[in-house]
Amino acid sequence: MKDLLILGAGTAGTMMANKLIRHLNKKEWKITIVDKDENHYYQPGFLFVPFGIYQPHEIVKKKSEFIPAGAHFILDEVKNILGEENKVELKSGKVLTYDILIIATGVEPVPEETEGLKGDLWYKDIFDFYSFEGAVKLSEKLRTWEGGKLVIQLNESIIKCPVAPLEFTFLADSFFQERGMRDKVNITYVTPLSGAFTKPKATAMLNGLLEEKQVSVVPDFYVQHVDNERKVLVSYDEREVPFDLLVTVPVNKGDRMIAASELGDDDGLNFVPTDKHTLQSKKFANMFVIGDATNVPASKAGSVAHFEADILLENILHYIKGEPLRAQFDGHSNCFIETGHGKAALIDFNYTTEPLPGKFPIPVVGPMELLKVNRLNHYGKLMFRWVYWHMLLTGIKLPVPTHMSMAGKVTA
Amino acid sequence: METMTLSKPIETDANGYLKDPNQWTPELAHEIANSLHITLTDKHFEVLNWLRTKHAEGVALSIRKVGNSGIVDIKQFYQLFPGGPLKNAAKIAGIPKPVSCI
């Protein structure tokens, strides 16, 4: 009996368990999946909780519901991976051995990385919404907030779901307008990148939204510290942005056990060096990495994990047969961008092709429009929650190609 | 197609970033740096080489990663490449502009 061990039962790990169980011979392979948290959060829903669009209970289910029958689920924390010995140590003291390991431990927001972020104002006037707790606390704050300077700010450019802060900004504009207090709120978007939009076609198509919604953008602003007393953000080049309410995206890091296992990149952010096409670890042939945990230059997002899962399944089957890892991930990503007032845009891109306008063909549902703000895209985003729980996690093939397709896209 | 008006024509994107990192030379780096009013020292080149190596390995780059590289901390990175350090350093290193997904 051989062991296939998956670390992390989030979006990526759960999908892999469900896909692999259908393809591996049960008499030959035992599949085990480990996670420290019994709850599975529908993370795209974190965006909607602060505005009361989703209630907290609507985005949480038990992880065990999505682990396939026949796979072993262990609720425990991973302490250390011993790659040379093909072993994993758990916090409880238990030691697991493996023939193939899949690392799917994701990333976590680490506010402690930025001086003063998790200080006196944390969860009083400074909130994150990339955690369940932060999203819930922020919804309580927004219910009673009387207005002032709202600042949405990114501490780093490599973050989970890079469009979510922009979506939050657009939804905040709608939210305050609906409450009849938009004139009492100043909205500023602060980013370490060169702008809120950084790719040419997306900038051309969507940049007008910022002006339309009266959002000021402060680009190239990398926060050095947060002055809690004066309520200002201070950058490394000593510029300042004042705030009354700060909605922050903390620095994202991979699981700390990656560092303990000496498997992280040499830059200390605990992302695992991974071949960007095959998804094999660069250190061990029988170790694979998927989703947010990798260091590949794709977005850290569920759709990326979903496309990677198809590639990884193929490559693991190749690996077992001793064949070359022929499946190649192209960096495909696809997502809806909420723009407020019941509308959204859709983007589709990969490592080499930027988001382009045009049509995105979906069988049965019909084509959706790319880089265009409309109601259908918003309904697509809302419908996706059902698709996520009932199809995506359980490994059912969605009617979207694994590799990005140019069909319908307009390049000129 | 944009080109740079340097000592030899090099293909760049609309923002002046090299289309092909293999066309990069240290001399070209000096020329791009001059256009950004930056005079390159050995320390600059240490950072540029680190960025080029990481990019060739297929790694996503960020300011914090450079700050943890062991070559410079973030403050020094800002001093070497003022304004937007990663976007300026990437331009001089001949690698693509650091971008988000849109």
Side-chain angles (χ1 to χ4, degrees), chain A residues 222-240:
Chain A
Y222 199 79
V223 173
Q224 200 269 333
H225 72 276
V226 183
D227 186 329
N228 280 248
E229 225 161 89
R230 291 167 52 231
K231 291 179 88 170
V232 288
L233 298 169
V234 184
S235 73
Y236 274 90
D237 47 358
E238 285 151 24
R239 286 178 290 152
E240 295 191 347

Side-chain angles (χ1 to χ4, degrees), chain A residues 13 23 88 95 142 169 189 198 292 310 335 362 396 412:
Chain A
H23 287 87
V88 168
V95 178
L142 288 179
T169 306
Y189 186 84
T198 54
D292 296 351
D310 288 335
C335 82
I362 304 179
I396 294 173

Side-chain angles (χ1 to χ4, degrees), chain A residues 164-283:
Chain A
L166 211 46
E167 295 181 280
F168 184 93
T169 306
F170 296 147
L171 287 176
D173 166 72
S174 281
F175 176 82
F176 293 121
Q177 234 175 70
E178 280 155 26
R179 292 172 79 94
M181 56 180 284
R182 183 62 184 88
D183 57 333
K184 294 196 180 73
V185 181
N186 261 307
I187 304 182
T188 307
Y189 186 84
V190 179
T191 169
L193 287 165
S194 56
F197 297 100
T198 54
K199 296 206 174 158
K201 288 277 192 301
T203 306
M205 301 284 290
L206 301 176
N207 212 27
L209 286 170
L210 294 159
E211 204 174 321
E212 185 188 308
K213 293 170 193 297
Q214 299 184 321
V215 173
S216 346
V217 177
V218 180
D220 294 316
F221 193 98
Y222 199 79
V223 173
Q224 200 269 333
H225 72 276
V226 183
D227 186 329
N228 280 248
E229 225 161 89
R230 291 167 52 231
K231 291 179 88 170
V232 288
L233 298 169
V234 184
S235 73
Y236 274 90
D237 47 358
E238 285 151 24
R239 286 178 290 152
E240 295 191 347
V241 173
F243 65 86
D244 293 308
L245 175 59
L246 176 65
V247 175
T248 186
V249 181
V251 170
N252 279 200
K253 289 174 84 168
D255 196 300
R256 66 199 73 175
M257 68 81 190
I258 297 293
S261 313
E262 295 178 8
L263 282 172
D265 214 342
D266 53 13
D267 50 39
L269 292 176
N270 307 343
F271 302 130
V272 184
T274 306
D275 185 288
K276 72 175 188 177
H277 296 300
T278 65
L279 304 176
Q280 189 176 40
S281 136
K282 290 200 172 170
K283 210 163 167 184

Side-chain angles (χ1 to χ4, degrees), chain A residues 113 156 158 162-163 193-194 197-199 220 222 236-238 251 265-267 269 271 282 295 297 299 347 349 355, chain B residues 15 50 54 57-66 68-69 74-75 78 83-84 86-87 97-102:
Chain A
E113 278 277 329
E156 243 311 334
I158 299 176
V163 294
L193 287 165
S194 56
F197 297 100
T198 54
K199 296 206 174 158
D220 294 316
Y222 199 79
Y236 274 90
D237 47 358
E238 285 151 24
V251 170
D265 214 342
D266 53 13
D267 50 39
L269 292 176
F271 302 130
K282 290 200 172 170
N295 73 340
S299 300
I347 54 171
F349 59 100
Chain B
N15 296 306
W50 188 87
K54 286 288 160 184
E57 288 172 4
V59 176
L61 293 164
S62 74
I63 292 179
R64 209 158 211 89
K65 287 186 172 198
V66 179
N68 290 344
S69 65
I74 300 174
K75 202 99 199 171
Y78 262 88
L86 189 61
K87 78 176 184 189
K97 183 182 165 187
V99 287
S100 182
C101 44
I102 47 171

